[in-house]
Amino acid sequence: MRRHGQRHWGGEFKGCGYRMTKPRQAILDVLGETDEHLSAEDIYQAVYKFYPNIGMTTVYRNLELLVDMSLIVRFDFGHGRAKYELTDQYSEKGHHHHLVCKKCNKVIDYSDFMNDEVKFLKSTEKGLSEIYKFRITDHLIQFLGICEECSKK
Amino acid sequence: MRRHGQRHWGGEFKGCGYRMTKPRQAILDVLGETDEHLSAEDIYQAVYKFYPNIGMTTVYRNLELLVDMSLIVRFDFGHGRAKYELTDQYSEKGHHHHLVCKKCNKVIDYSDFMNDEVKFLKSTEKGLSEIYKFRITDHLIQFLGICEECSKK
DNA sequence: ATATCTGCAAAGACTTTGCATGAGA
DNA sequence: TCTCATGCAAAGTCTTTGCAGATAT
C-alpha cells in the first residue's frame, strides 16, 4: 500500500539500534511529499490524516531523532516554531537556501548562484577551520528582507 | 554616574514616539559592555544587579522594540532561547558572523575572510533581488560543526 | 499634562519528561 | 523475547498579554 513518493528508509535505521516504525515512515513520507517547510504541528496534522493514532510527543521525539541521524534538518526562522525539511541528499529540492520576508515570514527557497556560493564557502571554510580548529560540517545561509507583496503595502 | 562604555542613545529615540528610559539605557549598556551573545534571561540578570526593580516583561518588551529599531539583532541558534547583540554599527565587534558548535552550543565570532564574503554577497544579493523581487536588507551566515574541545572527546 | 512605559500576575505557545503499554527485529 | 518506541498526561521553558500605577518629555 505504498503511495506516490514513499520510499524505504529501513537501511538508514539498520545497525544503529533504531527501528523503522509506522510513525517514522509517516513523518518521512510527509516531509518527502511537500515543498514547504513544516513545523512539528504541521507534520502532526498531516500524519494524523492517515494515521490518527499518532501523538504529538511521538512527532517531537522522532523529529529530534531524524535530525540526529541527519535525515532531516531543523530551521529556526525566528518566530516561534521550528521548521523541518529533508536533508539535501534525500530531497527533490536539492541544495538550496532561504530568502525570508521579515514582514510576513514567508520563506522562499532558492538554488541560484550556487557557483558564487561554492567559491566563497570553499575558501572561507578552509580558512575558518584552520584558524579556529573547527571541523565544519554544515552552513546556514539566509537572506532577509521584504518580499514583493509586502513592498507594495 | 556614567560607567565605562555607556553611551547616549537619546537621539535614536527622539522623533519616533519612543522615550529613553532607565530600563532601556540599562539593557543597551549591558549589551554594549559584553562580547557574549546574551539571552533575555542573561540580560535580566545583568541589569538586575544595578537596577533591581527591573521586570522580565520589560526586558522582553524592550528587546523587541530595539530589534524593530535595528539597534540590536536577535539570533536563534536553535536551542531554545534567543540571543541578542548590538547591531554591527553600534558594536565594537563590527561586522562578523558565527561559528556554532553542534555539540556544546558554543558560539565563536569571526570576522575573517570578509573579502570573499563581500564578493559572494554582492553578486548573490543582486541576482536574488532581481529574480525574486525581494528587497534584501540583511543576511545571516553561520558555519556549523564541532569545536576543538568537542573533537577531542 | 498626557501619552508612553513599567511591573506584577496570569496566560499562552511550543516542547520535553515520566511511565505503563504496545510493537519491531 | 526483549529492547526500543508509543501515547497519554503532566510538567517545563521561554515569551506574551492585561491592567493599574509610574514616568519621560
Side-chain angles (χ1 to χ4, degrees):
Chain A
M1 182 189 102
R2 298 182 68 202
R3 290 164 308 128
H4 167 75
Q6 277 189 318
R7 53 166 290 182
H8 285 307
W9 296 87
E12 275 76 7
F13 290 86
K14 280 266 173 65
C16 55
Y18 299 128
R19 296 167 180 172
M20 177 44 89
T21 63
K22 280 175 196 156
R24 283 174 191 170
Q25 179 73 51
I27 289 169
L28 288 164
D29 286 348
V30 165
L31 286 169
E33 288 167 8
T34 184
D35 286 332
E36 310 281 313
H37 315 86
L38 302 184
S39 67
E41 176 72 26
D42 295 334
I43 293 166
Y44 172 78
Q45 297 292 344
V47 170
Y48 187 89
K49 285 179 191 160
F50 61 95
Y51 189 69
N53 276 331
I54 190 81
M56 196 67 209
T57 308
T58 301
V59 173
Y60 275 110
R61 269 192 290 232
N62 282 322
L63 288 173
E64 189 186 358
L65 176 73
L66 297 173
V67 168
D68 283 348
M69 293 173 72
S70 293
L71 298 185
I72 68 176
V73 197
R74 172 195 164 117
F75 291 98
D76 291 272
F77 290 117
H79 13 87
R81 35 183 61 181
K83 304 286 187 92
Y84 300 84
E85 288 183 3
L86 286 184
T87 304
D88 283 355
Q89 64 178 126
Y90 298 110
S91 167
E92 292 176 7
K93 289 200 245 174
H95 189 66
H96 67 279
H97 291 301
H98 299 124
L99 215 51
V100 183
C101 178
K102 294 203 278 191
K103 286 232 168 140
C104 68
N105 296 331
K106 176 167 49 193
V107 178
I108 297 177
D109 294 329
Y110 73 87
S111 50
D112 316 273
F113 315 109
M114 287 302 167
N115 285 343
D116 291 323
E117 183 190 303
V118 168
K119 263 187 250 166
F120 156 67
L121 285 179
K122 218 168 157 182
S123 62
T124 305
E125 288 194 4
K126 184 167 180 295
L128 287 177
S129 59
E130 282 170 9
I131 294 179
Y132 298 100
K133 311 291 182 210
F134 220 88
R135 184 158 58 78
I136 294 174
T137 58
D138 207 354
H139 56 260
L140 177 66
I141 296 180
Q142 261 177 44
F143 288 93
L144 312 173
I146 310 293
C147 73
E148 193 176 8
E149 290 83 65
C150 289
S151 287
K152 289 177 185 167
K153 292 166 197 165
Chain B
M1 184 189 103
R2 298 182 65 201
R3 290 164 309 128
H4 168 74
Q6 276 189 317
R7 55 166 288 183
H8 286 306
W9 297 86
E12 277 75 6
F13 290 87
K14 280 267 173 66
C16 55
Y18 300 130
R19 296 168 179 171
M20 176 44 89
T21 64
K22 280 175 195 155
R24 284 174 190 169
Q25 179 73 50
I27 290 169
L28 288 164
D29 286 348
V30 165
L31 286 168
E33 287 166 8
T34 184
D35 286 334
E36 310 282 312
H37 315 85
L38 303 183
S39 67
E41 177 71 26
D42 294 334
I43 293 167
Y44 173 77
Q45 297 291 345
V47 170
Y48 187 89
K49 286 177 191 160
F50 60 96
Y51 188 68
N53 276 331
I54 191 82
M56 197 65 208
T57 309
T58 302
V59 173
Y60 276 110
R61 270 193 291 231
N62 282 321
L63 288 173
E64 190 186 357
L65 176 74
L66 297 172
V67 168
D68 282 347
M69 294 174 70
S70 292
L71 297 185
I72 68 175
V73 197
R74 172 195 165 118
F75 291 99
D76 291 270
F77 290 117
H79 14 85
R81 35 182 61 182
K83 304 286 186 90
Y84 300 84
E85 289 182 4
L86 285 186
T87 305
D88 283 355
Q89 64 178 126
Y90 299 110
S91 166
E92 291 176 6
K93 288 201 242 172
H95 190 65
H96 67 280
H97 292 300
H98 300 125
L99 217 51
V100 182
C101 178
K102 295 203 277 191
K103 286 232 168 140
C104 68
N105 296 331
K106 177 166 47 194
V107 178
I108 298 177
D109 293 329
Y110 73 87
S111 49
D112 316 272
F113 314 110
M114 288 301 165
N115 285 344
D116 290 323
E117 184 191 302
V118 168
K119 263 187 251 165
F120 156 67
L121 285 179
K122 218 168 156 181
S123 61
T124 305
E125 289 194 3
K126 184 166 181 295
L128 287 177
S129 58
E130 282 170 10
I131 293 179
Y132 298 101
K133 311 290 180 210
F134 220 87
R135 185 158 57 78
I136 294 175
T137 59
D138 209 354
H139 55 260
L140 178 66
I141 295 180
Q142 261 177 43
F143 288 93
L144 311 172
I146 310 293
C147 73
E148 193 174 9
E149 290 82 64
C150 290
S151 287
K152 289 176 182 166
K153 290 167 196 166

